[in-house]
Amino acid sequence: STTPVNVTVTGAAGQIGYALLFRIASGAMLGPDTPVRLRLLEIPQAVKAAEGTAMELDDCAFPLLDGVDIFDDATAAFDGVNVALLVGARPRGPGMERGDLLAANGGIFGPQGAAINAGAADDVRVLVVGNPANTNALIAASSAPDVPTERFTAMMRLDHNRALAQLAQKTGTGVADVTNVTIWGNHSAKQYPDVAHATIGGRPAPEVIGDDAWVTDTFIPTVAKRGAAIIDARGASSAASAANAAIDHVRDWVLGTPAGEWTSVGMVSDGSYGVPEGLISGFPAVSTGGAWEIVQGLSVSETAQAGIDVSVGELTEERDAVKELGLI
Ligand code: NAX
């Protein structure tokens, strides 16, 4: 269709925003036949910087870019939105307790969820990138009672892609040969990256790796702590790789996952795999007909279940904390 898709990006003037907007406008997210209209939401102090980014978007002369609008008001920014990328969040400042962090983000994601509820298009799809992503998605979803909770997702795809890269490097294969990894639980250092059902070049990953100790002692912590390693090396947090993961997530959501392959998505639990119903947790998921579905019936070892439970325990604590704060 030639009707432009309305894509709202929050935190548009931030570093992920800068890596994300140009790829959306180039067609990398919604495909080469879909025009997009970008709606950028920023706080007032960052509107000028967003305007500078919009000038550069103009200067790219992207054929698929139908226009760019800039807002400092959530209700206006989400009016008619089809795809919402919630990137802007309150980072943890010095001496900030977890409760303060959750409350500050509740003050962002609650009103944004309400604005989505008020004005979004019927087909709205929401991806939360801003941390703590899973719990921010839960807050936004519970502020949008008229939007199906399934439309609110949190980004596990960067962790997933990090896992693919580590496995390809370890086994001397290409990332395209690695399939069906799962990142379970929270997008945090307590996530559980799982290779039990993964394949590498069509063979079971554990067999190709041939080194269970490497999986436990190197792979899992490397993937889980990769964000900190990037900060250490780059002096700034992951930006281009985070933007790329957001593109991958939305592209697969809208256009579908390849047959027989799943990816990792932070999505509302239906109670599968012992994850309490209603939490937004990382799951193995396929996208068909424009909707994510949790891959059901995978065997989970005792060790894996223990790893999932630890991560889900953290999500439960975050949910209880935001409930106590009256944010959900
Ligand atoms: P930056 O600090 O560069 O940019 C954030 C932007 O958000 C700023 O321009 C700020 O003005 C804006 N903002 C703040 N409050 C806002 C509001 N209420 N409405 C609209 N805009 C608002 O951060 P950046 O590096 O771009 O990271 C953004 C978020 O992504 C952070 O919360 C970060 O922790 C999170 N990440 C999540 C990842 C994931 O895998 N889920 C990985 C990368 C990243 O760490």
Side-chain angles (χ1 to χ4, degrees):
S1 112
T2 51
T3 312
V5 173
N6 287 323
V7 180
T8 300
V9 178
T10 77
Q15 53 153 4
I16 294 175
Y18 195 73
L20 181 60
L21 294 167
F22 298 86
R23 294 196 60 204
I24 298 171
S26 76
M29 186 171 81
L30 297 172
D33 301 319
T34 306
V36 292
R37 178 163 270 276
L38 285 170
R39 302 173 72 81
L40 315 185
L41 177 64
E42 260 296 350
I43 54 175
Q45 309 88 284
V47 161
K48 188 167 179 225
E51 284 168 355
T53 304
M55 288 163 68
E56 284 202 75
L57 283 161
D58 286 346
D59 296 348
C60 292
F62 286 120
L64 291 172
L65 184 58
D66 188 69
V68 184
D69 297 295
I70 300 168
F71 303 91
D72 63 7
D73 171 70
T75 307
F78 290 113
D79 190 38
V81 63
N82 304 107
V83 176
L85 298 163
L86 309 190
V87 179
R90 177 74 194 274
R92 191 187 286 258
M96 209 171 175
E97 299 295 334
R98 188 177 64 171
D100 303 333
L101 181 75
L102 293 170
N105 279 295
I108 295 174
F109 289 87
Q112 290 183 358
I116 288 168
N117 197 59
D122 287 343
D123 70 346
V124 68
R125 292 179 174 89
V126 183
L127 171 62
V128 176
V129 175
N131 281 320
N134 302 55
T135 297
N136 288 341
L138 186 67
I139 293 169
S142 61
S143 304
D146 304 327
V147 179
T149 311
E150 295 71 33
R151 304 291 187 77
F152 286 84
T153 60
M155 193 164 91
M156 306 299 289
R157 188 63 173 261
L158 178 54
D159 309 291
H160 182 93
N161 287 345
R162 287 166 171 165
L164 300 183
Q166 293 302 316
L167 292 169
Q169 284 177 17
K170 169 71 177 174
T171 59
T173 55
V175 283
D177 295 322
V178 185
T179 63
N180 296 355
V181 168
T182 304
I183 311 293
W184 300 91
N186 201 2
H187 166 71
S188 80
K190 284 192 177 156
Q191 63 184 255
Y192 185 69
D194 184 1
V195 301
H197 299 278
T199 64
I200 300 176
R203 289 171 53 210
E207 196 182 298
V208 179
I209 298 163
D211 185 352
D212 291 347
W214 177 82
V215 172
T216 311
D217 301 338
T218 304
F219 168 75
I220 292 176
T222 299
V223 172
K225 295 179 193 161
R226 185 71 165 179
I230 298 287
I231 292 172
D232 191 45
R234 210 172 82 85
S237 59
S238 311
S241 55
N244 177 71
I247 296 275
D248 283 353
H249 177 114
V250 175
R251 186 199 57 228
D252 284 357
W253 195 354
V254 173
L255 302 174
T257 38
E261 292 185 21
W262 70 71
T263 185
S264 303
V265 175
M267 56 189 290
V268 65
S269 178
D270 58 359
S272 301
Y273 302 104
V275 183
E277 211 179 320
L279 285 182
I280 294 191
S281 169
F283 283 106
V286 293
S287 161
T288 42
W292 289 118
E293 262 172 61
I294 296 172
V295 175
Q296 299 290 347
L298 298 175
S299 61
V300 177
S301 71
E302 252 173 62
T303 314
Q305 191 65 55
I308 295 169
D309 291 349
V310 166
S311 195
V312 168
E314 186 179 54
L315 284 174
T316 305
E317 284 175 22
E318 288 181 14
R319 182 194 55 189
D320 293 349
V322 295
K323 199 175 258 177
E324 199 144 299
L325 291 163
L327 298 171
I328 59 169

